Amino acid sequence: MDNTAAWAGLLRVHAALVPVLDQELQAAHGLPLTWYDVLLELNSAKDRQLTMGELGAKAVVSRSRSSRVVDELTRAGLVERVANPADGRSAFARITAAGRARLRAAAPTYLAGIEAHFTSRMTPAEARTVAAALEKVLKG
């Protein structure tokens, strides 16, 4: 297997699994995968909030898309925008109690989807190898 095969495999797996996980979350919880991802990042952040720049850097969605997702989540009552006292030009996106409840309710579906469609197809050692290799790529 050459280097381009590893890259092509990553792209194919991503393209195949993201729509499946999105469909499962929407069917069970009315929650798109992009919403789940943003809620997950906000929930795990310090004070459960991030600036839009921080969120764009952490979330799987693009920086420009993250702002639209936050707008959608705000209209749904799952996120609120809060003024940034350190920088009047920016605001925090903060997960609300309703957002945390939706995230908790959807988590079992999300985790079951990862297990069913991804990790169940490899041994635990293979999963550790994949995780370690991808982490090395992210760290540069």
Side-chain angles (χ1 to χ4, degrees), residues 23-31 109:
Q23 178 190 23
E24 291 176 354
L25 281 169
Q26 287 201 52
H29 305 282
L31 196 68
T109 301

Side-chain angles (χ1 to χ4, degrees), residues 2-27:
D2 64 2
N3 292 341
T4 57
W7 174 248
L10 175 67
L11 293 178
R12 284 193 308 272
V13 167
H14 182 269
L17 296 188
V18 165
V20 171
L21 294 173
D22 183 62
Q23 178 190 23
E24 291 176 354
L25 281 169
Q26 287 201 52

Side-chain angles (χ1 to χ4, degrees), residues 34-35 38 61 64-74:
T34 54
W35 287 23
V38 168
V61 297
S64 61
R65 177 89 174 105
S66 66
S67 183
R68 287 194 306 265
V69 171
V70 167
D71 289 342
E72 295 167 359
L73 288 164
T74 299

Side-chain angles (χ1 to χ4, degrees), residues 34-102:
T34 54
W35 287 23
Y36 186 90
D37 178 48
V38 168
L39 291 173
L40 184 64
E41 292 299 339
L42 291 174
N43 194 58
S44 61
K46 183 179 184 281
D47 298 324
R48 294 191 170 90
Q49 65 185 18
L50 294 167
T51 65
M52 296 309 298
E54 292 168 332
L55 182 59
K58 289 179 177 279
V60 176
V61 297
S62 68
R63 286 181 192 251
S64 61
R65 177 89 174 105
S66 66
S67 183
R68 287 194 306 265
V69 171
V70 167
D71 289 342
E72 295 167 359
L73 288 164
T74 299
R75 284 191 295 276
L78 305 178
V79 167
E80 61 186 352
R81 289 187 187 259
V82 180
N84 182 349
D87 180 359
R89 298 169 294 149
S90 71
F92 289 107
R94 179 186 299 154
I95 191 169
T96 64
R100 292 185 70 217
R102 287 283 294 279

